[in-house]
Amino acid sequence: MYDVVVIGQGLTGVLSAIYAKKKNLSVALVSEGVGRIAQSTGVMDLLPGSNGNLEDWKKFFQIDQEGESILDKATQEFLSLTNDIAYPYYGNLGTPISMVTGSGYVKQTRLYPKTISALPKKGKVVIVGISELLDFRPEFMKGNLQDHNHQLEIETISISIKKDTQRVLTQLDVARLLDQKEIRERFIQNIKRQLVSENVDLFIFPASLGLRHWEEVLTDLERELRAKVTEAPGMPPNATAYRLFEALRKDSIKLGIRYYSNTTVSGANFENEKVESITVHNHNRATTVKGRSFILATGGLLGGGLDIQESIWAENALHLPMNDQGECIYVPSNVSIAGATKNQERTRYGITGGIYSIFSSYLSVYTLLEENVGGVSYATRH
């Protein structure tokens, strides 16, 4: 029997599993797919689709004074964790930076990896496209970016990264190629040859600046081009997000979290108003996973954790009853609902945003420990 069973391996689920494991709890993580984190932008926004401030966020998610304290702790825990896994995040919740996306639009974000740089208010910007990468269009980006800020001087160039390519490359393909020193050096020299502007303030690239060797890629580009560099995350897959997903997964396995991957939860066994175990299926094989507590982090509509047909909501893992607002009306006493699964009314565009995932995952584990999971109090384990 596990102390905690986490269902879902998006950002909320993986963070919940890691935080619980670091409190010396035995943890299992059950997942049907890879999780939406690998398909995200990799930056941590407050409210997706909105530039609302922290007060707007607190109001939207109904955060009280105790919740504010937990948010601060959760943020510091996340920043510490990403530093430990060698993919550090920067920034703070009170002061956003303006970043450019793969479509050339500008948005505000709060926490971001080293490959993301703030967009200057004025100066020279060069958008670097890759001819084999068709979903990153520098001229289209230039138009949108210029509409946002007329003070920017914008240049576009297109570089071929690999000859004799037999198919269209993805951004992850490009990232893997740039991991190779010889290809990276040739890529940088081609940029220099095509460059018209001098004294460039920022180079904008697809979210493809390396995978395993992203620090080397970033260092080489900034040194050789003598300017700041940023990735512009767009349509997935973005290396920005994939690096985080891989680093978190690697850390969770190293910690000893038991993974039940590519596994569908087909039912739950209840006893005394608690979930005693769940039944999971993998390749037509049924397995019973027992737990003292469960964290439901399967996502909202976009993540597949919730579903709606003819105005009737359904929760797809434990099959908990729901109201017409997409909220579970009965939750067993040993189940904590985290992230977008918690309440569909609290999501926009089907997702909650990175900051709420960071907050919600920490809160879920904090709540379980307060309730003496495994017979040991929070104060003892903290």
Side-chain angles (χ1 to χ4, degrees), residues 153-220:
E153 181 183 336
I154 305 173
E155 177 186 342
T156 65
I157 59 177
S158 182
I159 306 296
S160 176
I161 194 170
K162 185 180 180 183
K163 295 181 180 179
D164 302 323
T165 301
Q166 299 300 312
R167 64 176 176 83
V168 175
L169 298 181
T170 69
Q171 297 191 48
L172 289 184
D173 291 329
V174 174
R176 293 186 180 98
L177 289 171
L178 288 177
D179 274 342
Q180 302 176 43
K181 187 174 180 61
E182 181 179 346
I183 292 177
R184 182 166 70 249
E185 290 176 346
R186 184 169 66 245
F187 179 70
I188 293 172
Q189 292 306 313
N190 285 337
I191 293 174
K192 289 181 174 181
R193 280 192 287 267
Q194 290 197 32
L195 197 59
V196 175
S197 298
E198 296 182 356
N199 300 319
V200 176
D201 294 287
L202 182 69
F203 284 86
I204 301 173
F205 291 89
S208 304
L209 301 185
L211 283 178
R212 293 181 59 190
H213 305 298
W214 65 270
E215 287 185 285
E216 294 177 22
V217 176
L218 187 64
T219 298
D220 288 351

Side-chain angles (χ1 to χ4, degrees), residues 34 66 78 95 112 147 183 194 197-198 231 243 252 259-260 285 287 302 306-307 321 330 340 342 366 381:
V34 297
E66 182 182 5
F78 176 77
T95 308
Y112 44 89
D147 287 342
I183 292 177
Q194 290 197 32
S197 298
E198 296 182 356
E231 292 182 308
R243 292 184 210 108
S252 64
Y259 269 80
Y260 291 83
R285 178 182 176 183
T287 303
L302 191 61
L306 302 180
D307 193 13
Y330 165 71
K342 190 172 184 65
Y366 175 91
R381 292 181 182 269

Side-chain angles (χ1 to χ4, degrees), residues 36 45-51 60-61 107 299-304 313 340 343-353:
R36 289 293 173 181
D45 301 336
L46 283 174
L47 297 169
S50 167
N51 284 332
F60 185 74
F61 289 112
K107 74 170 187 174
L301 287 173
L302 191 61
W313 286 91
N343 185 337
Q344 185 62 22
E345 287 298 304
R346 295 188 179 186
T347 66
R348 292 182 177 182
Y349 310 111
I351 56 178
T352 57

